[in-house]
Amino acid sequence: MNNQELWQRYQDWLYFHEGLGLYLDVSRMNFGDDLIGKLQPKFEQAFKAMDELEAGAIANPDENRRVGHYWLRDPELAPEELKGEIVATLEQIESFVEKVHEGIIRPPSAPQFTDILSIGIGGSSLGPKFVAKALVADFPPLNIHFIDNTDPDGMDQVLNRLKDRLCSTLCIVISKSGGTSETRNGLLEAKHAFHSQGLDFSRHAVAITMSGSQMDVAENCDNWLAKFAMFDWVGGRTSEMSSVGLLSAALLGIDIRSMLGGAQEMDKATRLPDIKRNPASLLALCWYHACHGDNGSKNMVILPYKDSLVLFSRYLQQLVMESLGKELDRDGKVVHEGITVYGNKGSTDQHAYVQQLREGLPDFFATFIEVLEDRKGPSIEIEPDFTSGDFLSGLLQGTRQALYDNQRESITITVPRVDTRCVGALIALYERAVGFYASLVNINAYHQPGVEAGKKAAADFLLLQKNILAVLKTTRQPLTLSALAEKIGVPDQVETIYKVVRHLSMNPRQIVLHGNLAKPVELSVSLGRQNNEEGNLILRKAS
């Protein structure tokens, strides 16, 4: 198309939400009007399915669950029996936060809480992290830190940074079932750190969990500072507007009512059963074109041109990939559906992988996030008539044009500024787009069987480790890996046994490997103690 034709296409397809000041430009996605006609019946079904979802239909048959994250920002839409609990939980959050900020709720050995340690995994971390990075003020009421993995080094880094302020740290532990291993491990490591300083963990701890969960029972969370509800009908990747995300956001001084309001306003816009006038259906249309068009499936590259939105791509990775990455469709047919999401931020990306986007594999479509307001207040001129923000804007527009000139497609979302309403709206926009796209390709966006399969495989691995240690404790002579496998009764799992003992041998676990490390087949393993002059355990790979 020539420039005049592109300008007309831009005007024909531009979506603008006046209340939010949000623009959605899909003009650089090269679908034709015929795609609208082709997908109209599918979209009609998608709109109907979304209405049923919000009315309380079972959306996750694997667990017989409803999906109602939309109700969190508009309780009046929720089933009658849930409205009161939604409202009460929000009021409980606000009351607790007010008391923390005023020092009414305080740690036993400090006048006020200064820091938050948030322990969670997946959506219990990605949402709160994204919102904190996007919206936290320069000098918030509290500082926040995250343990969101079961990596000992990572936990040590966080806990060591907090060491001198642990006495004034509020610990939020987030787990719906209470049985997620990463969160459970983080909880136990944190408790150990508090107890090592003679601190009563329960006087620093807040639980976000379902009543009667494993954590609730095992830790007696009713004796902690507070316990906030997690709802059975809210999935992890859509939980930012629940207590999972709202508690930490409010503690950081973020206006959570405004964030909920932005999401509610976007929800209203994305209920409209009109493809061209609904921003979420426009996104889903573009994704369908990119992934089911003539050129096959493409990756989604998220390019926010704002430092505060740098974590948006990581947040969307879970929302999009966990929702859409499915082997089977709703009819049980193998489809291997999904959209790979990656990204960082502009203009950093222009000095990283944009070279490949421009000239390498055309296996993607880009989504630019443009923020019109450069900063609060005036900017200096870096050059006559040019500010730093002008350069950032120019780099975005230039990259968009350079990609299109080489037949690379893109979407552009423009917002006036990064504020609570904008962030709430962006979250709601992508939540709805994911639901629409899933309906178009006939998959269930609200379950995650692959995640459960990974958890089961990890549990099998840990059981094998337990059996390895049990055998070695009763065997005085070194065993070859194959002999160890035979004794355990898993002769076909020699490689996995090798991986277990290699890991154990590098840590203070009394495991010694004998032989040439470059030739695993020749190795043998034993349980042994060797102490240095200070009495500390030494583990050697014997030659």
Side-chain angles (χ1 to χ4, degrees):
M1 292 186 185
N2 60 37
N3 287 342
Q4 189 60 38
E5 290 171 329
L6 281 174
W7 171 233
Q8 187 59 53
R9 180 172 173 82
Y10 176 84
Q11 295 176 76
D12 290 344
W13 285 97
L14 180 66
Y15 172 86
F16 176 63
H17 190 294
E18 185 174 2
L20 295 166
L22 180 145
Y23 300 80
L24 173 60
D25 164 26
V26 300
S27 63
R28 267 51 174 184
M29 299 295 289
N30 295 322
F31 55 82
D33 291 344
D34 60 320
L35 185 61
I36 295 282
K38 174 184 175 183
L39 292 182
Q40 185 64 42
K42 290 179 179 292
F43 267 111
E44 289 174 3
Q45 181 58 40
F47 293 135
K48 180 174 181 290
M50 193 63 71
D51 288 343
E52 292 172 352
L53 182 80
E54 289 193 305
I58 297 297
N60 185 348
D62 293 358
E63 299 170 295
N64 196 35
R65 285 181 180 172
R66 294 177 287 189
V67 172
H69 47 274
Y70 310 102
W71 307 331
L72 296 168
R73 45 258 196 176
D74 193 349
E76 286 304 310
L77 297 177
E80 197 62 38
E81 71 274 13
L82 300 179
K83 292 179 183 178
E85 190 176 13
I86 297 170
V87 172
T89 299
L90 182 58
E91 291 174 348
Q92 181 195 6
I93 289 171
E94 292 176 324
S95 174
F96 178 83
V97 168
E98 183 180 6
K99 290 175 182 176
V100 169
H101 286 169
E102 293 178 355
I104 298 171
I105 295 177
R106 53 181 287 270
S109 54
Q112 204 153 11
F113 284 109
T114 61
D115 293 81
I116 303 165
L117 175 59
S118 179
I119 302 175
I121 192 74
S124 297
S125 169
L126 290 167
K129 266 189 172 179
F130 162 55
V131 167
K133 176 64 178 174
L135 297 175
V136 74
D138 293 336
F139 303 101
L142 293 88
N143 298 302
I144 193 164
H145 317 264
F146 293 89
I147 288 178
D148 58 358
N149 198 3
T150 186
D151 173 19
D153 272 344
M155 289 188 275
D156 285 348
Q157 287 177 6
V158 173
L159 293 170
N160 287 338
R161 283 197 296 267
L162 280 170
K163 189 171 184 179
D164 295 335
R165 300 191 308 279
L166 211 59
C167 64
S168 59
T169 294
L170 180 69
C171 187
I172 303 174
V173 188
I174 310 167
S175 180
K176 179 183 281 188
S177 68
T180 305
S181 58
E182 296 94 336
T183 305
R184 177 68 176 161
N185 295 352
L187 164 61
L188 295 177
E189 295 267 3
K191 285 180 67 176
H192 175 74
F194 276 88
H195 292 161
S196 295
Q197 292 193 24
L199 301 171
D200 181 353
F201 180 75
S202 68
R203 306 322 302 155
H204 294 255
V206 173
I208 300 179
T209 190
M210 288 183 63
S211 183
S213 72
Q214 291 182 42
M215 181 176 79
D216 188 20
V217 173
E219 300 295 332
N220 193 14
C221 294
D222 287 329
N223 284 337
W224 288 7
L225 283 177
K227 183 174 73 174
F228 295 90
M230 287 185 83
F231 301 124
D232 182 63
W233 37 267
V234 177
R237 55 191 175 277
T238 55
S239 64
E240 177 54 30
M241 304 289 176
S242 73
S243 55
V244 169
L246 297 181
L247 176 61
S248 61
L251 286 165
L252 293 170
I254 295 167
D255 184 348
I256 58 175
R257 292 276 182 172
S258 177
M259 187 165 68
L260 288 166
Q264 184 188 74
E265 195 155 356
M266 180 56 73
D267 284 340
K268 291 176 182 176
T270 56
R271 290 189 185 105
L272 190 66
D274 184 323
I275 299 173
K276 290 190 69 171
R277 295 169 59 207
N278 181 324
S281 61
L282 277 175
L283 279 182
L285 173 74
C286 292
W287 298 356
Y288 189 95
H289 160 72
C291 297
H292 291 268
D294 296 336
N295 296 320
S297 187
K298 293 186 177 180
N299 304 319
M300 182 191 302
V301 184
I302 303 295
L303 300 172
Y305 275 64
K306 204 67 172 176
D307 286 359
S308 59
L309 296 178
V310 65
L311 296 182
F312 192 41
S313 61
R314 289 183 59 190
Y315 172 77
L316 290 181
Q317 277 181 336
Q318 183 189 21
L319 176 64
V320 174
M321 296 175 71
E322 190 168 81
S323 298
L324 303 182
K326 303 295 162 63
E327 180 180 13
L328 304 177
D329 68 9
R330 289 183 177 273
D331 300 321
K333 179 183 174 183
V334 175
V335 291
H336 294 298
E337 184 60 59
I339 304 176
T340 301
V341 179
Y342 64 92
N344 183 23
K345 67 177 181 181
S347 64
T348 296
D349 289 332
Q350 293 178 218
H351 299 270
Y353 53 75
V354 167
Q355 167 64 31
Q356 176 166 315
L357 299 187
R358 175 63 167 77
E359 297 184 2
L361 289 169
D363 60 348
F364 72 95
F365 64 98
T367 300
F368 294 98
I369 312 292
E370 177 184 25
V371 181
L372 296 178
E373 183 179 84
D374 293 337
R375 57 157 51 107
K376 297 194 186 312
S379 294
I380 64 169
E381 289 189 354
I382 302 301
E383 294 180 10
D385 295 327
F386 294 113
T387 67
S388 298
D390 296 336
F391 275 89
L392 186 66
S393 178
L395 288 164
L396 186 158
Q397 301 301 339
T399 303
R400 173 177 174 270
Q401 184 63 44
L403 291 181
Y404 189 76
D405 286 345
N406 213 26
Q407 292 80 53
R408 269 64 170 170
E409 296 176 298
S410 69
I411 298 165
T412 302
I413 297 172
T414 302
V415 294
R417 63 191 60 84
V418 179
D419 60 15
T420 48
R421 282 169 56 78
C422 156
V423 168
L426 285 174
I427 290 172
L429 172 61
Y430 274 87
E431 285 176 350
R432 186 84 65 165
V434 161
F436 283 152
Y437 179 86
S439 186
L440 295 181
V441 298
N442 193 35
I443 61 170
N444 188 341
Y446 305 108
H447 69 160
Q448 49 281 336
V451 175
E452 300 307 314
K455 290 179 181 178
K456 183 181 183 303
D460 292 343
F461 185 91
L462 293 172
L463 178 59
L464 179 62
Q465 176 175 309
K466 184 176 182 179
N467 292 334
I468 289 170
L469 291 171
V471 168
L472 291 176
K473 286 175 183 177
T474 60
T475 307
R476 304 188 68 85
Q477 297 299 318
L479 292 173
T480 65
L481 297 176
S482 57
L484 182 55
E486 290 285 351
K487 278 186 170 288
I488 296 171
V490 287
D492 60 336
Q493 294 191 37
V494 177
E495 180 180 346
T496 306
I497 287 173
Y498 163 67
K499 297 291 180 62
V500 171
V501 297
R502 184 180 64 178
H503 168 251
L504 293 175
S505 72
M506 283 297 295
N507 294 279
R509 308 295 291 278
Q510 304 179 28
I511 296 295
V512 179
L513 292 180
H514 307 264
N516 185 347
L517 294 181
K519 296 183 178 180
V521 71
E522 298 178 4
L523 291 175
S524 58
V525 58
S526 66
L527 197 67
R529 290 183 177 273
Q530 296 176 335
N531 296 320
N532 62 16
E533 293 179 356
E534 287 76 32
N536 296 320
L537 188 66
I538 299 173
L539 297 174
R540 291 198 183 117
K541 288 37 168 208
S543 59

